[in-house]
Each structure stands twice: as structure tokens, then as C-alpha cells.
Amino acid sequence: MRIPALDVQRWVNSPPLTPDELRGRVVLMDVWEYTCINWIRTAPYVKAWHREYADRGLTVIGLHAPEFEFGKQAENIDRGIQEHRLTYPIALDNDFRVWDGLGNIAWPARYLFDADGKRAARWIGEGEYDRTEAVLRQLLVDAEPDVELPSVTPEAATFAATAQPSYADVTEETYLGVDRRVPGAFDLTGDWRNGGDHVELASGAGEIALPFNAGEVNLVVEPGPSGPATLRVLLDGRPIGDRRGTDVDIDGTTRVDRPRMVRLVAGASRDEHLLTVAADQPGCRAYAFTFGP
């Protein structure tokens, strides 16, 4: 496989790039989505490779393929690019044309192409950052034997030296929309309207109750049309307290002012818990819960 045609809706941080223009460069194509926790965990390594190797023959391209409809809106993705501090070229693949050209199946994914544009390696999901960097470095040397490479990035070196947490028995990603919903995975209280990829509070107040086993819980959520929404977060029926994620205030609430992923729970014990998210702003939409050990 070679670098596919980069037929995308828009480029950010770069003029449009083509496979011919990239000839002679090693290319790392990072398939991402700005609300995806699995990609968010990967992002520091991708940014480090751009930082250390861009002037040594590497071009990083972030291929953004939106998982939800709001991810196609320019104001949302542009803010996501800014908040994640991405400075390398970003290609917005709203129609999944490049995704299909790669034969991709999930977020995140990393594709390495050699200086002739031929695919050298692929990784789906998190991890193997040390292996990715080793292959990347070899491709740079193959392309330019006299290139002077820096030491392996601190990010990849730390990953290689650190025992990785186990995802065994961690609750799987839970989609709220009817298209990918698993019956019985959560309960709704109140007047909720079902959509293909979300649930929307139609009127009054409502709650989402989610049993889970994980240390970390996140939620992809969008405020209603009337402005920012405030969500109240309970763990096992009580205020969440010191198990709150970084997006939850000390009073147990999180403010949602745009479509985004919010971190609700952090450091929970690894056993069965009940998370309750309460909303009172009609139009507020919840899309998916994601988890970590």
C-alpha cells in the first residue's frame, strides 16, 4: 500500500499536501478524533515525534475523521486542534475517503510510510510507542544515511521503561445512541429523546445511571442550544468527592460549553460502581462513556 490520495475537506497548519509532494519524506499519518480518549493518550508521543524529527525528514499528518456529527463543524475541530496544541499538518477527512483508502478500522491508528511513499508499518490503538519510534528512526536513516538523529524521545523512553496498566475487566466503551447501544448498559431517568449516536434531554431534568468497573470514566457530551450546561456527578449515589476527574469541580459539577470529552471519574477503586450524571438543560446531548484502568 502507498500513501492514498489526500482528498480531504480542509487542511489546518499546512497548505494541501499530496503524495507526490511528500516523496522523499518519511510520513507518519496519525488517524485521530479530538474527543477520543484513546487518541488523547497517544497525542503526547505524536507531538514528540513531530518536535524531534520534523527537521530530520519526517512529516506528521494528523488525519481527523469525526466519530460524531459535531466533529465535522469547523469551529469545533479548530478549537480541538488549538486545545490539544497540534502544530503539525492536519487533514480533515469528514467523508472518510482517506480512512477508506488506508483500509482503517478504528481510532487511533498510526501509519508509517517510507520515503518512497510505501507503507512500512501500522498500529491500531494505544501503545507500542517505543516500537513506532524505532521503526520511524530506521526509515529516516534508510532515506538519508548521514542524518544525525537525536536520542530517543523522553516520552517513548519513559513508556518503554514503565509497567503499563492492565485493561483486563475494564468496562468497554459505552455508546448511548441507538445505533451502537448495548441494551442494559445504562439506565435513563426523565424525558430523553433517542438519536442514532446520542441521547438528548427533551425537557425537564434527567439522569443517566451507568454501572462500571474502571478507575477512570469520561463522557463525550454536547450542551444544548440555549448555552453552557451544568452536569451533576454522583458516584455510588453520593457526591463524587476526591474521585472526581479533572473536569469536575469540587462541588461535584462539570460545566459543558461546547461539544467535548469531559473527565468525570479518576482514581476509583477497581470494583463495581454506579455513576450518575444528572442534567437539567433541555437539548443537552450525551454520546459515549469511555474508561481507563
Side-chain angles (χ1 to χ4, degrees):
M1 175 187 290
R2 307 189 71 82
I3 298 175
L6 300 176
D7 184 11
V8 298
Q9 279 65 46
R10 185 164 61 96
W11 287 84
V12 180
N13 298 335
S14 172
L17 300 174
T18 67
D20 286 343
E21 290 172 327
L22 292 166
R23 188 66 59 87
R25 302 277 298 179
V26 174
V27 175
L28 172 66
M29 195 170 297
D30 178 51
V31 183
W32 71 294
E33 208 277 345
Y34 84 94
T35 67
C36 175
I37 184 58
N38 306 98
W39 172 78
I40 290 170
R41 296 187 189 115
T42 297
Y45 304 95
V46 179
K47 291 192 286 187
W49 296 326
H50 171 66
R51 180 190 72 220
E52 298 297 334
Y53 300 112
D55 61 354
R56 295 174 170 90
L58 175 71
T59 295
V60 175
I61 297 175
L63 185 76
H64 186 271
E67 187 168 12
F68 307 108
E69 280 298 312
F70 62 73
K72 297 179 180 180
Q73 298 171 14
E75 63 270 23
N76 293 331
I77 182 57
D78 287 352
R79 185 162 183 173
I81 291 168
Q82 293 171 1
E83 291 182 342
H84 289 296
R85 298 180 181 178
L86 308 182
T87 59
Y88 48 79
I90 301 293
L92 303 184
D93 191 28
N94 289 355
D95 295 332
F96 286 70
R97 292 179 182 175
V98 185
W99 172 294
D100 290 340
L102 292 168
N104 194 50
I105 59 173
W107 300 268
R110 303 187 298 280
Y111 292 80
L112 268 174
F113 296 89
D114 66 18
D116 291 325
K118 182 179 178 181
R119 193 179 89 183
R122 179 183 81 160
W123 292 267
I124 301 293
E126 299 177 51
E128 296 195 81
Y129 308 115
D130 50 343
R131 176 60 180 160
T132 301
E133 186 159 345
V135 175
L136 183 160
R137 290 169 66 92
Q138 185 59 56
L139 293 175
L140 291 172
V141 171
D142 292 343
E144 179 51 66
D146 295 330
V147 66
E148 294 186 7
L149 297 180
S151 300
V152 170
T153 61
E155 290 83 353
T158 299
F159 173 82
T162 304
Q164 299 304 306
S166 171
Y167 280 76
D169 300 322
V170 170
T171 300
E172 295 184 355
E173 187 166 7
T174 300
Y175 292 96
L176 303 180
V178 295
D179 289 348
R180 290 189 281 180
R181 178 186 299 174
V182 176
F186 60 91
D187 291 315
L188 297 173
T189 302
D191 184 14
W192 293 89
R193 181 182 299 116
N194 289 307
D197 64 356
H198 65 271
V199 292
E200 178 180 326
L201 187 61
S203 63
E207 294 183 348
I208 306 171
L210 174 81
F212 74 93
N213 183 335
E216 169 191 334
V217 187
N218 313 292
L219 174 64
V220 179
V221 63
E222 178 180 11
S226 59
T230 298
L231 306 179
R232 188 162 54 93
V233 184
L234 303 175
L235 184 63
D236 299 325
R238 298 183 295 274
I240 192 166
D242 61 4
R243 294 294 179 259
R244 67 185 186 276
T246 56
D247 293 313
V248 178
D249 292 333
I250 195 169
D251 65 356
T253 65
T254 183
R255 185 174 183 271
V256 181
D257 61 356
R258 61 194 182 282
R260 59 179 295 210
M261 187 204 79
V262 290
R263 299 177 184 267
L264 301 181
V265 179
S269 61
R270 286 300 311 280
D271 46 34
E272 296 299 322
H273 294 284
L274 179 68
L275 174 67
T276 303
V277 179
D280 60 7
Q281 178 166 297
C284 183
R285 293 181 173 184
Y287 290 81
F289 288 100
T290 58
F291 306 88

